[in-house]
Amino acid sequence: MATVVGGIGTTHVPSIGRAIADGKQNDPYWKPFFRGFDYVHYWLARTKPDIAIVFYNDHGLNFFLDKLPTFAIGAAAEYRSEDEGWGIPVSRSIAGEPDLSWHLINALVADEFDVTMCQEMLIDHAVTIPMALIWPSSALSDRSWPVKIVPIEINTVQHPLPSLARCLKLGQSIGRAVSSYPQDLRVVVVGTGGLSHQLDGTRAGFINKEFDALCLDKIVTEPETLTRYSIHDLVELSGSQGVEFLNWMAMRGALTGRVNELNRNYHIPISNTAAATVVYDNQTEGERRAA
Ligand code: DHB
Ligand code: FE
């Protein structure tokens, strides 16, 4: 049986790609942010996942405002990226796991999530930057990535957006579907983007430390309490791009066991963004009984 071994939350700011390309990880501006990944690397070396299911939002590379699904899932054997105009290197392709993707798609539709299924799907910086942060040596070399991916896209761009409750349930549906997949695969779930930020308008540069702290506290053991915030509350409290927290809620939903926060790093600012990096453990009932 496949198992969700844990979850990772991370920002996906494009300028991180420039910092990596220029080797700036130890510069004073970047160091407190990149240090937050030391624990991620330590944890991955121990947990050794085979698959990463990545909840993210596309910013106009694969989907545009003319056709924008609320939820879309990749079912490709390979995911390519392309130049989005940020002036950063284009990531190498990442292999997919179509059998698992179709299993998840079947389970989601059976669970009344009518997702858009994509046998071709370009992945943008919201997947490639987290991949480069989480598996830096594979991103910088020709060595193949240690995981295959299933990208799951959530609309955080064009209103109406799905609610926090809906994204939590989407994640829960994915979590259940993984545990009914017959192959022994170790799966890490990743949520990208956030935390508070706003890139445009009169509130450009908006950051809300207090609300970010509340979200990071509540999401661990009582994510349901966050579902009382409407999308409009979330825009007000977190910024118009802070709504990328929806990807984090889906990631958290996929952790259906007992969840512990193993590590948290929070750093302001990375570009215009409050950058959070977290690692969550997902202890299944079987593991609890054995412990
Ligand atoms: C920035 C943040 C984002 O979430 C994004 O998609 C692009 C840019 C930023 O803070 O620069
Ligand atoms: Fe973004």
Side-chain angles (χ1 to χ4, degrees):
M1 286 297 175
T3 320
V4 177
V5 293
I8 297 172
T10 169
T11 178
H12 59 222
V13 173
S15 59
I16 296 164
R18 185 77 261 145
I20 293 172
D22 296 344
K24 291 201 169 147
Q25 289 90 337
N26 287 314
D27 277 20
Y29 178 87
W30 290 103
K31 194 171 178 174
F33 168 70
F34 278 99
R35 284 284 71 81
F37 284 82
D38 290 348
Y39 186 87
V40 175
H41 303 150
Y42 160 79
W43 180 77
L44 287 169
R46 290 173 52 205
T47 47
K48 297 190 176 60
D50 311 295
I51 305 281
I53 295 178
V54 185
F55 295 98
Y56 76 107
N57 58 295
D58 183 89
H59 301 69
L61 181 66
N62 191 74
F63 301 111
F64 200 61
L65 303 181
D66 59 336
K67 295 179 205 71
L68 195 44
T70 300
F71 300 123
I73 173 165
E78 187 178 48
Y79 300 94
R80 274 192 318 104
S81 192
E82 275 182 5
D83 187 354
E84 297 174 69
W86 295 104
I88 60 176
V90 174
S91 168
R92 284 187 303 123
S93 299
I94 308 170
E97 180 80 353
D99 285 351
L100 175 62
S101 289
W102 286 114
H103 173 80
L104 298 178
I105 291 166
N106 277 301
L108 285 170
V109 174
D111 247 356
E112 300 177 1
F113 282 97
D114 304 319
V115 287
T116 299
M117 40 203 127
C118 304
Q119 298 191 64
E120 281 189 33
M121 194 180 195
L122 290 172
I123 46 171
D124 79 353
H125 66 272
V127 176
T128 61
I129 295 291
M131 289 295 291
L133 286 165
I134 296 171
W135 288 283
S137 52
S138 306
L140 287 172
S141 69
D142 285 341
R143 222 185 306 159
S144 62
W145 297 97
V147 289
K148 294 178 177 177
I149 62 167
V150 176
I152 302 185
E153 208 277 336
I154 297 177
N155 168 33
T156 72
V157 173
Q158 176 158 282
H159 291 259
L161 311 185
S163 66
L164 284 156
R166 186 81 176 135
C167 293
L168 185 66
K169 284 184 189 150
L170 175 84
Q172 288 164 342
S173 182
I174 289 288
R176 287 192 297 272
V178 168
S179 58
S180 70
Y181 190 62
Q183 217 179 311
D184 279 334
L185 289 175
R186 295 170 65 73
V187 177
V188 61
V189 286
V190 180
T192 90
L195 291 184
S196 59
H197 66 298
Q198 173 144 344
L199 301 179
D200 43 26
T202 51
R203 289 206 311 166
F206 175 81
I207 277 175
N208 187 347
K209 253 179 166 173
E210 289 73 27
F211 184 67
D212 288 341
L214 180 132
C215 289
L216 289 173
D217 288 344
K218 296 290 180 198
I219 197 173
V220 183
T221 53
E222 40 180 328
E224 297 78 13
T225 59
L226 296 172
T227 62
R228 71 185 169 91
Y229 295 106
S230 70
I231 289 297
H232 289 117
D233 294 336
L234 196 56
V235 170
E236 193 174 324
L237 289 162
S238 191
S240 51
Q241 279 73 39
V243 293
E244 291 175 346
F245 185 65
L246 293 173
N247 302 322
W248 286 57
M249 280 294 267
M251 173 273 285
R252 172 60 186 84
L255 306 174
T256 54
R258 185 187 294 170
V259 178
N260 287 305
E261 181 189 77
L262 299 176
N263 198 250
R264 180 197 297 193
N265 188 55
Y266 181 82
H267 180 70
I268 296 173
I270 289 299
S271 189
N272 298 294
T273 302
T277 310
V278 300
V279 180
Y280 300 141
D281 192 16
N282 183 45
Q283 221 185 8
T284 60
E285 213 176 307
E287 285 170 332
R288 250 182 288 155
R289 256 187 264 124

